[in-house]
C-alpha cells in the first residue's frame, strides 16, 4: 500500500514503537506515487510511474543514536528493524548535537493534498504533453517539456507520544519552445498542488510567443542596466540568499549576516523598505508541511520586514547552546509585492531589459552573496514602456543583497519553484559579458 | 519543484551542500550483504516475460541495490552517520515504437509483473503522439557475466570508528594550523546492479566509488571577513586504499597535490594555512592573463566546456527544456573541419580508466564499454551517444554511456569520462610557468557557471598565484575568469606531458528530468591558455 491515511500510518508506527527497548525511539514513514512525462523535438521521449514506501526507525541511548530501515511491514521485519537500530545506537559514537525527541506538538492543519492530483492517469499526462506539442508543431516551433506529478504522505511518531501526518500532492510543468532555426527560445513553468489549476496549453502559448519574439536577438554592451525581472529570474538568487540565512552561521562569523567583532546583522535594515519576506504553511497558493523533519511545528513567520532582518532559522541544538528560540527552516517563502503584472511593470520602464529567467546560478563569494549566472529564453530591450527588440543573453555577477536594495517597483507575487515571488524592476543590475547562447 | 529528498549538510564553508539521497537509511552491517544472483534473475525473467506478453518489442530490467554511507563531521564532533539502501526494480520497454518505464520497490513477482505491465501501458498511451518510432542500435546478448570495480579494500567494510577517527584527525590538523571551522565528509557509494534484457544479457556489476571532501574556513574577526579553502581530493572509483596517502602519489607544487592516493590530514593542514593566508592576499587586477591550470582545476573546465556540449542528446535538442542544447551542432561535426581547439588539443571519452568514476564493463543498457575520440588534433570528430541515438549520427554501434542513478530512474545518455590527452613533448609545470610573463596559476575547482549552449563560461578556483616573468609572485584573491568555449580551447598553447596527468571529477553531476546524478572523471596534465579575461569578484554590501 503506497498511500496510507493517518490511521493506517499511526497503527503501523505504534506497533513499531511497541517493540522498542531504547531510551528513545522515533519512526518516520513516507510513501509516494510519482508520475512523469518528458517530451522534446515535439515528441514524447520518456514517461514513467514510480511507487515507493519507506520506514526509518531511529533508536537512541543518551546521545548515541542508530537508524535502520525497512520496506517490508510484517511484524517480524518491523521488530528486526527496531533491534538493528538499537544495536547500531549502542555501537555509535556520541553526537554532542543529538537532541532529545520532542513530545506532542500543536500542528496546523495541512493544506497540501488535492484528490484530483492523486488521481492523475497516464492518459492525462500524455494529453497534457500533447496540448503543448501539437500547437507548437502547427506553428512550426519545437517544444520540449516535462510534467511531474506526485501524491505522497509523510508521518512521524516517537516514544514521547508525538505523532504527525501530512499528505500532499503536487504537479510541476515546464516547457521550452524554440524556433525551427534555433534563433529564438521561450519558456514557461507552473507548479501547483491542484492539477485543476494547470493548463499546459495556456502556459505553452506564453513560451511560443517568447520563442517567436526572441528570434534574431541583437548584441548590447554589458554593463549596469535597469531590469524587469520576471519571478523566474529572481527566485534562485533570493532562494540562495535565504538558504544562507542560518542563525548559527551568522553567529560563527561565516555568513553575509555576520559583522566584525562577532556580532550579527539581525535587526538591521539590509534591504529596501519594500522588502518583506514571510512563510506560511497554510498559504492557499503555496502550502507546505505544518511540521519540520525533526517534529517542530511550522507557523506563519516573518523573516524580513520593511527591509529589516527579523529572525533566522536556528537548529534545536544551537538554540539550546545560545538560549535562543529554535526555529525550523520553512518549506517555502513569500515575498510581498504590489498588484501589477509583469506586463504592467514594463509600461513604467523608460529604458531597461526584461529578463524571463536566469540560469546556472553559482556562488562566487559567500561573504557578499555574489552570484554569477545568465539570462535565458527571452531577454528583451524595453524603451518607453514597450518591448523594442530581443537582446542576446547576458552573464551577470550580482548579489541579491544589492539587488533588493535597488528596487524600483514590485509587482504581484506568483508561485514559482515552491515560493511566491513578485516580478520586480531593479536598477543598476550588473551584466559582465555577452553570450551567444539561444 | 524538485521532489527528490535531500540530506542538507549545513555549515560548510561554501554555504549549504545538498546531497541527493535516493534511498532508505540502513544499518552498517547490511551494506555488505548482496542480493542473491538467482533471485535477481528470477525477478528479471518474470518482468521480461510479462512485458513481451503485453506487447513489448524490447524490454530491459534493472534489479538494483544502491548503497551509500555518509560520515559527516565538523571540528571535534561527529554530526551524522547515515547508511542508505535503495532496493527495487525498474522495467523499461518499447511498445508501439515508444519507450515506457515503471519501477517498484516490491521484490516479488506480482510487483515486478505489475511494473512491467504498467511500463507497456505507459508506452502505448504515449505512442499516440509519437511520430518517429524508437530505433535501437543492435547489441549482442552476452549471457550471464559479472564485473567488479578493481578495489583493494571495500570502504563499506571499514569500521565506522576508523572513519570517524580519520575525519576527526583531519579536523584537528586543520584547527591546529589556523582554521576556525572545518567540515569533513566521507561519501561511499556501492551500486549492485543487475541488468537483463530481451537481447539475452544477464549482467551483474558491483561498482564502488568514494569521495572525501572538506571545507576549511578562517575568520578575521577584526574585519568580519571569512575565507575558505576546500580539499583537493579527487572523487574516485577506488576503495579505502585511496585514503592511504602514499608518498609516491604526492606532487609537490605551491601546495601538495595528489594522484592515486590522498593524504587528507596533510591537505587539511595546508588548507588551513592557505585560508589564513588568503586574508592577506592581493586582490587581482582585472585584465588579460595567461592561465596555467592545474589538473585539480582543469577537470571542471573540461567537464563543463567539453563533456556537456558533446552529449548527443543535448546537441539534438532532447535536453532543451532543462540543461539546454549545444553550440557543437551536427552541421559543425558533419563539416569535418570544426576547430574545437588548437592543434595540441586531443579530447578522449572512455568508460575504462582504472580508478575513474565512470569505470564499468557494461553500461546500463548492456553495451560493452570502451574509449573513443571526441576531438582529435583540435577538430571535432564525435559525440557521446547511446543505443537509440547513434543512428542519428550515421553510426550503428552505441558508445556505451547509458546510465541511471537508481532502479527507479530511467536510464539515459550520461557523460563518460572525458579527458585531455597529455602533451607529446616533455614538459613539466615548472618549465611551463618559466615561459609565462604575466599569468595566473590556478589550483582546485571553485565557482562554475556556463550558458545553456555552452558558449560563455566563468570559473573560479581554490588557490590563485600570480606569475610574473616566469616566477610565482604570491597569492591572489577575487579571481574568476570568463571566456567562450571555442575561443578558450583555441587559445590552448601547451599541455604538460603524461608525468603530470591526473584525474579529477564530479561525484554528483546533475542532468535530466526528473533530475539524476552521475559520477564522472576528467584527466589532464597542467595546461596553458593565453590571453584569458580575468575579472575581480570583490564587492561591498
Amino acid at each position: 500500500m503506497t498511500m496510507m491515511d493517518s490511521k493506517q500510518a499511526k497503527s503501523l508506527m505504534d506497533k513499531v514503537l511497541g517493540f522498542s527497548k531504547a531510551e528513545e525511539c522515533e519512526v518516520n514513514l513516507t510513501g509516494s506515487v510519482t508520475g512523469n512525462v518528458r517530451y522534446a523535438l515535439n515528441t514524447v521521449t520518456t514517461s514513467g510511474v514510480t511507487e515507493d514506501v519507506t520506514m526509518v526507525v531511529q533508536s537512541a541511548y543518551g546521545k548515541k543514536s542508530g537508524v535502520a530501515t525497512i520496506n517490508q511491514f510484517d511484524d517480524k521485519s518491523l521488530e528486526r528493524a527496531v533491534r538493528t537500530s538499537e544495536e547500531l545506537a549502542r555501537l555509535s559514537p556520541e553526537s554532542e548535537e543529538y537532541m532529545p525527541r520532542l513530545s506532542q506538538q500543536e500542528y496546523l492543519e495541512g493544506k497540501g493534498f488535492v484528490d484530483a492530483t492523486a488521481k492523475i492517469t497516464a492518459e492525462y499526462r500524455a494529453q497534457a504533453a500533447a496540448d503543448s506539442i501539437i500547437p507548437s508543431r502547427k506553428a512550426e516551433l519545437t517544444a520540449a517539456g516535462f510534467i511531474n506529478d506526485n501524491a505522497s504522505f509523510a508521518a512521524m511518531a516517537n516514544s514521547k507520544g508525538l505523532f504527525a501526518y501530512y499528505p500532499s500532492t503536487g504537479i510541476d510543468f515546464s516547457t521550452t519552445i524554440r524556433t525551427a532555426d534555433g534563433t529564438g527560445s521561450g519558456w514557461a513553468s507552473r507548479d501547483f498542488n491542484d492539477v485543476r489549476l494547470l493548463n499546459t496549453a495556456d502556459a505553452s502559448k506564453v513560451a511560443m510567443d517568447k520563442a517567436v519574439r526572441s528570434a534574431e536577438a541583437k548584441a548590447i554592451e554589458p554593463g549596469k542596466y535597469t531590469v524587469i525581472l520576471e519571478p523566474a529570474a529572481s527566485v534562485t538568487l533570493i532562494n540562495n540568499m535565504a538558504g544562507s540565512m542560518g542563525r548559527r552561521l551568522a553567529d560563527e562569523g561565516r555568513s553575509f549576516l555576520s559583522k566584525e567583532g562577532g556580532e550579527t546583522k539581525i535587526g538591521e535594515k539590509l534591504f529596501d523598505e519594500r522588502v518583506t519576506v514571510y512563510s506560511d504553511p497554510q498559504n492557499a497558493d503555496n502550502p507546505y508541511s505544518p511540521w519540520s523533519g525533526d517534529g517542530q511545528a511550522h507557523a506563519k513567520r516573518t523573516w524580513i520586514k520593511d527591509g529589516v532582518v527579523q529572525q533566522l532559522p536556528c537548529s534545536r541544538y544551537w538554540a539550546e547552546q545560545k538560549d535562543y528560540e529554535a526555529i525550523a527552516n520553512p518549506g517555502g517563502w513569500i515575498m510581498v509585492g504590489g498588484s501589477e503584472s509583469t506586463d504592467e511593470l514594463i509600461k513604467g520602464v523608460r529604458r531597461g531589459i526584461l529578463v524571463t529567467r536566469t540560469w546556472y546560478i553559482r556562488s562566487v563569494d559567500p561573504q557578499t552573496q555574489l552570484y554569477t549566472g545568465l539570462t535565458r529564453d527571452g531577454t528583451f530591450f524595453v524603451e518607453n514602456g514597450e518591448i523594442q527588440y530581443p537582446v542576446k543573453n547576458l552573464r551577470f555577477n550580482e548579489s541579491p543583497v544589492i539587488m533588493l536594495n535597488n528596487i524600483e517597483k514590485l509587482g504581484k507575487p506568483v508561485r514559482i519553484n515552491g515560493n511566491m515571488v513578485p516580478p520586480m524592476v531593479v536598477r543598476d543590475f550588473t551584466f559582465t559579458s555577452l553570450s551567444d547562447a539561444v | 519543484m524538485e521532489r527528490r529528498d535531500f540530506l542538507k549538510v549545513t555549515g560548510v564553508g561554501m554555504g549549504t551542500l545538498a546531497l541527493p539521497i535516493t534511498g532508505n537509511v540502513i544499518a552498517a552491517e547490511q551494506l555488505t550483504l548482496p542480493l542473491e544472483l538467482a533471485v535477481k534473475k528470477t525477478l528479471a525473467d518474470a518482468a521480461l516475460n510479462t512485458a513481451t506478453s503485453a506487447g513489448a518489442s524490447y524490454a530491459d530490467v534493472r534489479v538494483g541495490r544502491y548503497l551509500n554511507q555518509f560520515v559527516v563531521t565538523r571540528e571535534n564532533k561527529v554530526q551524522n552517520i547515515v547508511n542508505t539502501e535503495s532496493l527495487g526494480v525498474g522495467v523499461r520497454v518499447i511498445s508501439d515504437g515508444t519507450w515506457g518505464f515503471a519501477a517498484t520497490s516490491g521484490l516479488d513477482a506480482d510487483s515486478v509483473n505489475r511494473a512491467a505491465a504498467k511500463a507497456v501501458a505507459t508506452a502505448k498511451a504515449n505512442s499516440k503522439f509519437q511520430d518517429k518510432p524508437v530505433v535501437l542500435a543492435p547489441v549482442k546478448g552476452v549471457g550471464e557475466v559479472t564485473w567488479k570495480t578493481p578495489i583493494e579494500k571495500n570502504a563499506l567494510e571499514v569500521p565506522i570508528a576508523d572513519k570517524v577517527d580519520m575525519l576527526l584527525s583531519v579536523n584537528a590538523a586543520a584547527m591546529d594550523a589556523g582554521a576556525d571551522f572545518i567540515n569533513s565528509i566521507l561519501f561511499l557509494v556501492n551500486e549492485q546492479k543487475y541488468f537483463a534484457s530481451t537481447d539475452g544479457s544477464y549482467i551483474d556489476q558491483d561498482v564502488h566509488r568514494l569521495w572525501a571532501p572538506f571545507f576549511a574556513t578562517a575568520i578575521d574577526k577584526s574585519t568580519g571577513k571569512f575565507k575558505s579553502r576546500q580539499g583537493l581530493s579527487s572523487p574516485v572509483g577506488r576503495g579505502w586504499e585511496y585514503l592511504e596517502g602514499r608518498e609516491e602519489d604526492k606532487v609537490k607544487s605551491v601546495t601538495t597535490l595528489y594522484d592515486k592516493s590522498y593524504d587528507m590530514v596533510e591537505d587539511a593542514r595546508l588548507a588551513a594555512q592557505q585560508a589564513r593566508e588568503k586574508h592577506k592576499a592581493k586582490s587581482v587586477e582585472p585584465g588579460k592573463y595567461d592561465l596555467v591550470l592545474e589538473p585539480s582545476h582543469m577537470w571542471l573546465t573540461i567537464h563543463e566546456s567539453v563533456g556537456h556540449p558533446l552529449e548527443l542528446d543535448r546537441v539534438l535538442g532532447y535536453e532543451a527544456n532543462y540543461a539546454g542544447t549545444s553550440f557543437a551542432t551536427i552541421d559543425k561535426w558533419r563539416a569535418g573541419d570544426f576547430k574545437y581547439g588548437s592543434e595540441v588539443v586531443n579530447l578522449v571519452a572512455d568508460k575504462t580508466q582504472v580508478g575513474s568514476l565512470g569505470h564499468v564493463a557494461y553500461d546500463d543498457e548492456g553495451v560493452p564499454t570502451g574509449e573513443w575520440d571526441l576531438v582529435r588534433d583540435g577538430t571535432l570528430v564525435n559525440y557521446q551517444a547511446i543505443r537509440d541515438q547513434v543512428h542519428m549520427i550515421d553510426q550503428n554501434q552505441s558508445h556505451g554511456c547509458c546510465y541511471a542513478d537508481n532502479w527507479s530512474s530511467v536510464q539515459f545518455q550520461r557523460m563518460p569520462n572525458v579527458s585531455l590527452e597529455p602533451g607529446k613533448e616533455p614538459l613539466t609545470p615548472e618549465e611551463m610557468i618559466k615561459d609565462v610573463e604575466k599569468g595566473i596559476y590556478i589550483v582546485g575547482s571553485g565557482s562554475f557557471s556556463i550558458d545553456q549552449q555552452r558558449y560563455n563560461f566563468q570559473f573560479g578556483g581554490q588557490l590563485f598565484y600570480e606569475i610574473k616573468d616566469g616566477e610565482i609572485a604570491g597569492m591572489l584573491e577575487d579571481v574568476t575568469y570568463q571566456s567562450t568555449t571555442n575561443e578558450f580551447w583555441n587559445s590552448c598553447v601547451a599541455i604538460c606531458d603524461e608525468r603530470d596527468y591526473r584525474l579529477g571529477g564530479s561525484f554528483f553531476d546533475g542532468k535530466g528530468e526528473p533530475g539524476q546524478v552521475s559520477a564522472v572523471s576528467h584527466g589532464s596534465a597542467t595546461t596553458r591558455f593565453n590571453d584569458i579575461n580575468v575579472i575581480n569578484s570583490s564587492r561591498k554590501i
Side-chain angles (χ1 to χ4, degrees), chain B residues 109-185:
Chain B
D110 279 355
S111 299
V112 168
N113 289 335
R114 208 166 46 241
K118 204 177 274 186
V120 175
T122 300
K124 287 183 188 299
N126 290 323
S127 68
K128 288 191 281 187
F129 306 108
Q130 179 94 350
D131 58 353
K132 287 180 197 151
V134 175
V135 177
L136 277 190
V139 171
K140 204 174 164 208
V142 294
E144 294 188 34
V145 294
T146 61
W147 183 85
K148 184 179 179 181
T149 305
I151 54 173
E152 291 171 28
K153 188 169 189 181
N154 184 350
L156 291 172
E157 292 173 357
V158 172
I160 288 283
D162 292 3
K163 292 165 182 161
V164 168
D165 285 351
M166 189 201 75
L167 292 181
L168 294 183
S169 309
V170 165
N171 297 357
M175 299 298 280
D176 287 348
D180 292 294
F181 299 101
I182 180 166
N183 297 77
S184 63
I185 309 171

Side-chain angles (χ1 to χ4, degrees), chain B residues 505-531:
Chain B
S506 169
F507 212 62
F508 297 117
D509 181 35
K511 186 180 168 186
E513 293 175 303
Q516 292 191 43
V517 294
S518 77
V520 55
S521 292
H522 304 285
S524 77
T526 303
T527 306
R528 176 177 170 181
F529 299 85
N530 280 358
D531 276 330

